[in-house]
Amino acid sequence: MHIALPTTVVEGIQLTVMPFRADAVIGTMSVPTLVQLVPSPRREEDTKTLKAASGAVRRHAELRALVQRALKSTQKGKNVGSYAEYIADGVNGELGAGWSTPPITFWHAGPLAALSDELLPGTGLRTLTITPGTCVVAIDGETQTTAWHELYDDPERYGLTYAELAQVRVPFELYVDLSVADARQIFYDRNVQGVVVAKNLAMSMDQRDFATRLAHRVADAVKVDVEDKLVPFTKLVNASKRQVGKADPEVVTLSALRALVIAAIYGRTGLSRSAETVHEDELPAGTNAERVEGSVVPLLARLISDHFPHFASRSAITAPAVLAGLGIAVHQATPWADPMNALGAEDLHRLLADIQWDREARYWDGIAAKAGATGRLNFSGGVKDSGGRVADAILYPGTEAGRRIRGQ
């Protein structure tokens, strides 16, 4: 008896993709496909687990180590849990449309098993096939990859089900048959060539952050006179830069305004929170979001209105450290401030009335700024470095610093 062999069929994982260069494609894949295609980086760093793993997994771990940094005992590894929670919140609909994960960059270490012709002429769409056991490594987006494994290992822990995860599509780009050197170069380019966003600036973009939302409300609550026209102060707040440029129409950055808000809420302890997310359940004891907003917005709106000429001239008052120090002083006028140091709104107004806001060394050198050899002031010191000194000078007019900023 002779059994005829079947027509050759290439077996493996099939993905619908679109090439964007001769050795790279983009597409989406399901979460089950992702966890099948790419082993968990966390497990590959567990020596006990790796000893019992298959030869294919061990080979994958060796290749991964050539192009990726370690997860274990690093900040990258510590971020996995919070990343998984973020993704779960997004999948569960708790974040609305305001959430996103970037496409994961994979490296296919070898030629493809198969690549079809265009599925529909003119679209560029094709089907590629990856044979089982092929090494596919995440060279950018590995923290996200690990987070997807965490979710798929125990979806109930994150309030999900396997069925819900199976509906999710994960965007990716896949580089095919590159050398180890080329894969390393892509890792370097993705992690070094891009400009890292300063954390304070990034925080000022977070609309789930209570302090950011409150900073917007403060800006919206103030109307100022600009060339004989009343305009919302929010039009003069720059939300996209770390500092305002000379040619910019804005007078202050959103991140600096946020520092003012946080210090007004927390006082001195707010100096250490300027680069942290402020959640409503972390507001001072005895308060809630409504009470904080009802107190802080009027106080800061009056401060900005009273001192708008100094904002408009971009005086020292617009420096983040100075605004943080001002916020600490404003905190003393809130209902939840320590009664031993409490101020009335009028007391606060009088404390600020005679401060010299001009950017001159005789007022601010050593308090909120440093004078260079030419005498030019540099206000680049951070909120944590100088905010406390500014607050002391504002709150204690009888001290040397207090007299200096008042021109005495």
Side-chain angles (χ1 to χ4, degrees):
M1 179 179 178
H2 178 77
I3 300 175
L5 294 176
T7 303
T8 301
V9 175
V10 179
E11 298 180 341
I13 296 174
Q14 292 191 333
L15 300 171
T16 301
V17 299
M18 178 180 288
F20 64 92
R21 69 185 215 190
D23 53 7
V25 299
I26 57 173
T28 66
M29 68 176 72
S30 69
V31 178
T33 298
L34 170 62
V35 298
Q36 179 186 3
L37 187 63
V38 186
S40 167
R42 196 188 291 283
R43 290 199 194 94
E44 289 191 343
E45 291 185 7
D46 185 325
T47 52
K48 290 183 180 179
T49 301
L50 203 57
K51 283 182 180 179
S54 67
V57 171
R58 291 198 300 274
R59 287 192 298 273
H60 187 281
E62 291 171 1
L63 193 65
R64 170 189 172 268
L66 296 176
V67 297
Q68 261 296 352
R69 49 187 171 157
L71 279 170
K72 193 173 182 179
S73 302
T74 65
Q75 187 59 47
K76 176 184 173 183
K78 293 176 184 176
N79 287 342
V80 170
S82 59
Y83 206 157
E85 290 172 358
Y86 169 75
I87 294 173
D89 288 344
V91 173
N92 280 323
E94 295 177 17
L95 305 180
W99 75 286
S100 173
T101 56
I104 302 173
T105 301
F106 293 119
W107 167 42
H108 185 291
L112 294 170
L115 181 65
S116 75
D117 295 330
E118 281 188 308
L119 301 179
L120 187 64
T123 65
L125 292 174
R126 301 169 184 266
T127 298
L128 64 76
T129 304
I130 299 174
T131 53
T134 300
C135 285
V136 177
V137 179
I139 50 177
D140 190 47
E142 190 179 61
T143 305
Q144 183 189 157
T145 301
T146 312
W148 283 116
H149 272 277
E150 297 283 303
L151 291 168
Y152 204 74
D153 285 345
D154 190 2
E156 291 183 0
R157 175 185 170 191
Y158 296 94
L160 294 170
T161 64
Y162 286 111
E164 288 172 326
L165 285 173
Q167 298 300 312
V168 177
R169 303 297 299 181
V170 181
F172 69 90
E173 55 180 344
L174 177 69
Y175 290 83
V176 179
D177 202 16
L178 301 186
S179 67
V180 171
D182 286 337
R184 282 175 171 167
Q185 188 64 49
I186 291 174
F187 172 89
Y188 173 86
D189 292 347
R190 291 297 176 88
N191 288 278
V192 178
Q193 296 284 34
V195 177
V196 178
V197 178
K199 194 166 185 182
N200 280 355
L201 176 58
M203 290 303 308
S204 72
M205 299 291 186
D206 185 1
Q207 299 307 300
R208 285 187 290 275
D209 173 66
F210 178 74
T212 297
R213 298 201 307 272
L214 200 58
H216 282 293
R217 291 194 178 104
V218 169
D220 289 337
V222 181
K223 298 291 189 297
V224 293
D225 190 330
V226 178
E227 297 179 350
D228 297 325
K229 291 183 180 179
L230 278 180
V231 300
F233 185 69
T234 190
K235 290 184 176 295
L236 303 177
V237 178
N238 191 309
S240 62
K241 290 185 176 182
R242 291 185 63 187
Q243 59 186 31
V244 176
K246 290 181 179 180
D248 292 330
E250 298 88 2
V251 300
V252 69
T253 64
L254 180 59
S255 59
L257 192 61
R258 183 177 177 276
L260 171 67
V261 167
I262 292 178
I265 296 172
Y266 294 101
R268 290 180 189 274
T269 59
L271 297 179
S272 62
R273 302 189 63 121
S274 61
E276 297 177 2
T277 300
V278 175
H279 300 285
E280 292 186 18
D281 59 1
E282 297 173 343
L283 294 174
T287 70
N288 56 33
E290 185 178 356
R291 187 181 185 207
V292 169
E293 181 177 345
S295 297
V296 168
V297 171
L299 285 168
L300 296 185
R302 178 180 177 182
L303 183 151
I304 294 170
S305 295
D306 289 349
H307 295 86
F308 178 67
H310 302 297
F311 279 92
S313 65
R314 302 186 188 183
S315 69
I317 203 171
T318 61
V322 176
L323 285 173
L326 270 170
I328 293 171
V330 171
H331 173 77
Q332 306 299 86
T334 62
W336 56 90
D338 182 352
M340 296 291 292
N341 300 310
L343 291 172
E346 293 307 317
D347 296 326
L348 175 64
H349 179 68
R350 284 191 292 272
L351 272 176
L352 303 179
D354 56 354
I355 293 176
Q356 304 298 309
W357 299 107
D358 295 334
R359 289 179 176 249
E360 295 186 17
R362 55 179 169 157
Y363 305 135
W364 298 103
D365 184 27
I367 297 174
K370 292 182 180 179
T374 62
R376 184 174 180 273
L377 279 181
N378 183 349
F379 281 84
S380 62
V383 167
K384 295 179 184 179
D385 297 332
S386 306
R389 290 196 298 272
V390 173
D392 288 340
I394 292 172
L395 291 168
Y396 307 112
T399 62
E400 179 186 350
R403 291 192 298 272
R404 279 187 57 201
I405 67 169
R406 291 170 173 83
Q408 299 170 2

